[in-house]
Amino acid sequence: MNEIRLAAILLLLAGGVFFTFVSAVGVIRLPDVYARAHTASQTDTLGAGFVVLAVVLAYGFDADVIKAVLLLVFIFVTNPTAAHAAARAAYEEGIEPWTEGDERR
Amino acid sequence: MSDAESEPDAGGILVPVGESVTLRNTVAYAVQVAEETDAAVIHFVVPVAWRDFGETSNAERSRSGSLLERVEVWANEDVDGADVSVETAIIGDDEYLFSPDDYAAVLAAYASSNGLDRVVVDPEYSPGGNVPLLRPLEVELVRRGFAVEEAPIGQPTRRQQLLGRGGTAGFGIIFVITFGFYQLLGGFTIVTGDAFDFWYELLTGTITAAVVAGALHRITISGTPHPARTAIRVGRLCLYIPYLVYEIVKSNVLITFIILHPKLPIEPRMTRVQSAVWGGPAITTLANSITLTPGTLTVRSDGHDLYVHALFPAAREGLFDGALERAVRFVFYGRASAAIATPEERGDCEILTETDEEGEV
């Protein structure tokens, strides 16, 4: 039983790390501020999501689990707000979205 | 404008206008004030809250233009041969208006260059969309030495204020939520611990909750609380969250594929979707859900219009298909409202980015 739990925890952690890694790759590869904001939300949704799930499994089901879930709720509320603020600021600065064929910025 | 400059001593009236239900009454009242105070001229102006973004700006501009045309017709109707001239203008489009102070500065500059000394405001005028700007704007204008008055409107106004009426119900709701949250963070030692824990948690929890509720109940709860309706919405929200998580996972996998694809097959477009959801919380929920889903990013919300950046065609189609929008409508208004047409069927969506390629959707 404990081995299964450990395996599940490791799998979840690996998933979290994987999506965070992809997100970092995306920030480097994608061409402009708007596109990068898309991938930045990956870190917070699946990246943090999997890690928090791993934490939940590791702690077992007690009061701390509720805190971990609350943490996820707050991330889910604040992440889009921050992404929106960054994108909106770019939009209001008049930055045109990148389209195919443009130079990378 | 030349009228006002040639006879500046007669004074004039400045009326900032925007779309509002009481606009017609405000126009009538401004004309009445002009006749009473022997003002020579009334200027109706639309302070604009956008910068030059090409097409978006043009749409806004033509909307403001037709609003002013309507106002001018109404005003001339009311003036009816009296010695008052009517002028209209769009102002502030070379600046970014954000705070009441910005609006006041632009209005004041316009007023002084046209010799206007009196301001009549529409009580329902809300230049900042959902943000209540009117009261602070009035204060700023008074501080700058203008005679400011609100047009009296027969019907009761429902102005959104930062401070709601609060009341016992609001206080109670915030108190209960805060107390619950406090105990949650304390790990519920109030029930699991010994007698000392119980009294300690009860005392500190009550004090904390009372302070928070006392400070915030008039801000957090605007309008009358509807506990039953809120409970139903929270229930539906619990159904919505798994669906949202499913959507997030799905689009995360898709975007992971795209990022790791050697050719990086993206086709970013700025799009505009006129969402069929109403009210601040619903639009916020929708906009945040769109942003949380990788591939779509809410860049700007302007009333019902959401400006969404879509990274690849599938994300764009999903957006125009309105699945999230329908789910948010379900959360806030129940199942019946979920069934209305998709943004695409309604024609409420468009792609704003111009490309050189032909044949784009």
Side-chain angles (χ1 to χ4, degrees):
Chain A
M1 189 59 207
N2 256 342
E3 283 78 13
I4 298 173
R5 197 169 103 175
L6 188 66
I9 291 170
L10 287 177
L11 209 64
L12 286 170
L13 282 179
V17 171
F18 173 73
F19 280 107
T20 309
F21 173 75
V22 169
S23 166
V25 172
V27 169
I28 295 169
R29 290 198 70 193
L30 288 171
D32 76 341
V33 56
Y34 302 108
R36 288 184 179 131
H38 287 279
T39 182
S41 74
Q42 274 195 297
T43 319
D44 291 327
T45 51
L46 284 200
F50 278 133
V51 172
V52 168
L53 272 184
V55 168
V56 168
L57 272 187
Y59 273 109
F61 292 93
D62 64 2
D64 290 331
V65 168
I66 304 173
K67 288 183 202 167
V69 172
L70 272 179
L71 197 63
L72 204 58
V73 170
F74 289 135
I75 290 173
F76 269 51
V77 173
T78 51
N79 154 56
T81 312
H84 172 70
R88 185 187 141 126
Y91 190 70
E92 278 170 7
E93 279 300 311
I95 298 173
E96 291 288 328
W98 178 93
T99 50
E100 308 89 270
D102 287 5
E103 291 266 320
R104 279 178 56 98
R105 281 171 233 164
Chain B
M1 255 177 239
S2 54
D3 289 345
E5 275 155 14
S6 58
E7 25 182 21
D9 347 74
I13 297 174
L14 178 67
V15 189
V17 293
E19 284 294 349
S20 95
V21 288
T22 51
L23 182 57
R24 183 66 191 92
N25 309 39
T26 307
V27 171
Y29 181 73
V31 172
Q32 190 190 328
V33 170
E35 283 166 1
E36 280 165 11
T37 59
D38 290 329
V41 64
I42 309 176
H43 285 251
F44 294 96
V45 297
V46 176
V48 290
W50 70 87
R51 288 169 89 179
D52 192 10
F53 296 134
E55 278 182 33
T56 326
S57 158
N58 290 337
E60 284 284 348
R61 187 175 289 273
S62 67
R63 210 180 303 164
S64 303
S66 62
L67 177 80
L68 284 174
E69 277 169 25
R70 220 158 67 219
V71 165
E72 195 167 1
V73 170
W74 286 339
N76 284 323
E77 224 172 85
D78 293 337
V79 167
D80 197 24
D83 193 19
V84 178
S85 63
V86 175
E87 303 277 344
T88 60
I90 294 176
I91 60 170
D93 49 353
D94 50 349
E95 288 175 61
Y96 178 45
L97 303 181
F98 187 72
S99 70
D101 198 45
D102 301 339
Y103 279 94
V106 164
L107 288 172
Y110 181 83
S112 60
S113 72
N114 289 286
L116 312 175
D117 53 2
R118 190 177 283 275
V119 180
V120 171
V121 293
D122 181 344
E124 291 283 302
Y125 176 58
S126 67
N130 281 340
V131 189
L133 279 187
L134 185 63
R135 184 70 68 190
L137 173 64
E138 286 174 16
V139 172
E140 281 298 325
L141 284 170
V142 168
R143 206 171 58 81
R144 286 176 160 81
F146 290 96
V148 177
E149 52 189 311
E150 258 184 37
I153 303 299
Q155 71 199 60
T157 60
R158 2 153 232 100
R159 183 180 308 124
Q160 285 191 326
Q161 287 175 330
L162 181 60
L163 291 184
R165 273 162 303 149
T168 333
F171 184 89
I173 291 169
I174 303 287
F175 183 88
V176 168
I177 292 173
T178 312
F179 189 82
F181 188 66
Y182 185 87
Q183 300 308 336
L184 183 73
L185 291 184
F188 290 114
T189 41
I190 192 168
V191 281
T192 57
D194 53 26
F196 171 78
D197 285 337
F198 175 78
W199 289 111
Y200 179 78
E201 296 286 345
L202 187 66
L203 185 68
T204 53
T206 306
I207 293 171
T208 310
V211 169
V212 171
L216 296 184
H217 75 285
R218 302 220 304 152
I219 294 174
T220 311
I221 311 255
S222 58
T224 323
H226 298 276
R229 200 174 68 190
T230 309
I232 293 173
R233 283 183 179 175
V234 170
R236 293 205 207 104
L237 193 65
C238 292
L239 291 177
Y240 173 66
I241 286 170
Y243 169 72
L244 180 64
V245 169
Y246 166 74
E247 285 291 323
I248 288 173
V249 171
K250 202 173 71 179
S251 54
N252 255 299
V253 171
L254 208 58
I255 205 169
T256 300
F257 170 75
I258 284 171
I259 287 172
L260 298 181
H261 193 289
K263 285 193 181 138
L264 201 65
I266 58 170
E267 234 175 73
R269 293 286 180 277
M270 194 62 84
T271 63
R272 189 183 64 90
V273 178
Q274 198 172 16
S275 59
V277 297
W278 302 269
I283 288 177
T284 309
T285 307
L286 177 61
N288 272 10
S289 302
I290 287 173
T291 306
L292 265 179
T293 320
T296 50
L297 171 72
T298 311
V299 169
R300 194 174 173 156
S301 88
D302 180 8
H304 284 195
D305 287 354
L306 292 177
Y307 293 86
V308 180
H309 187 259
L311 194 56
F312 44 88
R316 197 167 67 214
E317 281 151 23
L319 182 72
F320 289 178
D321 198 36
L324 276 175
E325 183 194 276
R326 206 170 311 129
V328 169
R329 263 205 309 274
F330 165 72
V331 170
F332 283 88
Y333 321 107
R335 200 184 307 169
S337 66
I340 75 173
T342 68
E344 187 138 42
E345 288 161 2
R346 297 197 307 265
D348 279 350
C349 52
E350 57 178 319
I351 295 173
L352 298 175
T353 317
E354 288 171 40
T355 49
D356 309 331
E357 295 168 50
E358 294 280 307
E360 280 295 328
V361 186

